[in-house]
Structures are given as C-alpha cells and as structure tokens.
Amino acid sequence: MMKKLLIICFLILASCNSKVDKNQLHLLNGYWEIKEVTFKDGAKKEYSINSTVDYIQLDSLSGFRKKVDPKFNGTFETSNDAEPFQIRISNDSIFMSYTNNSNTWEEVLTKLTEESFSVKNKEGLTYEYNRFEPINITP
C-alpha cells in the first residue's frame, strides 16, 4: 500500500508544470546560446558549438533580442538587427511576442532560471538556451 502511495505521489509531482513567475523576467537579460531544439515528435537537435549567441535586454515588459558574434578576447561583434519583443501575460503563461515588418509570432516561456531558459512556439518546437560564458584568451 505504501509503495502505491509513493508511486502516486511521484506521478503527481512529475506532472506538475512549474510556471515562470513574472518576478523572474529580469533573468532573461544577458547573453544566451542555444543548447537544443525539441521537435513536436520528440526528436531533438543538440548544438554543441555556436558561432553566434543571443543577447536579450528586457526593461519592464519591453525588450529586444539580437544575434552577436563572440570573439576570443571576450568582446562581441554585433549589428543593428535587433528584434523587438513585448512580454504578454495570459492565463498564468508568459509570452514573448515579436512583430517585425513581415511577421508576427509568439513563444511561451516554459522555463527560466539564472542559467537557462526555454521557449515553445505555436508549431510545437521547444528551444532551450544556456547562459553564455565567454571565452577570454588574452596574451
């Protein structure tokens, strides 16, 4: 009987989906590199080496995301191609809403910690990012 109770408790805990709290949103600020993409069918694509990283800057519920190229001296090369986004909170979910000249899309923020975050788009793809640690090689 005790074993069955433990199994039921474990299943309940495993099925609980921890939501991202809006008080955590400041953790998005900084440099991130993609770790993996999980496809709708469960297949995964891992990224072991990234030539670019994403820089995210969020102020209140508005922000931008841009690609930057890390250099070996600890600096970054960048362009002016920032993708602005807004945070939208609905039904206890937090969305990153993007709009540019040709497209509009949203990603739901499924996980956010100091070291990683994940988003899922309407096509069912989940993108997982890790905090980027620059390599600084100075002579």
Side-chain angles (χ1 to χ4, degrees), residues 55-115:
Y55 174 71
I56 297 176
Q57 184 174 322
L58 181 65
D59 184 17
S60 185
L61 298 179
S62 298
F64 68 87
R65 182 179 193 158
K66 70 184 329 185
K67 298 285 186 195
V68 297
D69 296 321
K71 301 300 172 194
F72 287 114
N73 64 0
T75 63
F76 297 91
E77 190 173 293
T78 186
S79 63
N80 293 325
D81 62 346
E83 195 74 59
F85 68 89
Q86 299 290 318
I87 295 293
R88 183 176 69 82
I89 301 170
S90 176
N91 298 330
D92 293 330
S93 293
I94 297 176
F95 296 86
M96 297 173 75
S97 301
Y98 297 87
T99 301
N100 63 25
N101 294 337
S102 61
N103 204 359
T104 299
W105 70 98
E106 280 190 325
E107 299 172 322
V108 62
L109 196 54
T110 58
K111 174 182 149 188
L112 178 59
T113 69
E114 188 79 35
E115 296 302 319

Side-chain angles (χ1 to χ4, degrees), residues 10-40:
F10 174 77
L11 291 174
I12 290 171
L13 287 174
S15 67
C16 290
N17 188 6
S18 61
K19 297 286 182 185
V20 175
D21 188 288
K22 66 181 179 182
N23 295 323
Q24 294 176 284
L25 288 173
H26 69 278
L27 296 174
L28 280 173
N29 288 311
Y31 296 92
W32 298 93
E33 62 182 333
I34 191 163
K35 178 184 173 191
E36 72 179 19
V37 176
T38 303
F39 297 91
K40 194 174 186 176

Side-chain angles (χ1 to χ4, degrees), residues 37-40 107-108 119-127:
V37 176
T38 303
F39 297 91
K40 194 174 186 176
E107 299 172 322
V108 62
V119 292
K120 186 173 186 176
N121 66 19
K122 71 177 183 176
E123 289 81 23
L125 279 79
T126 301
Y127 297 86

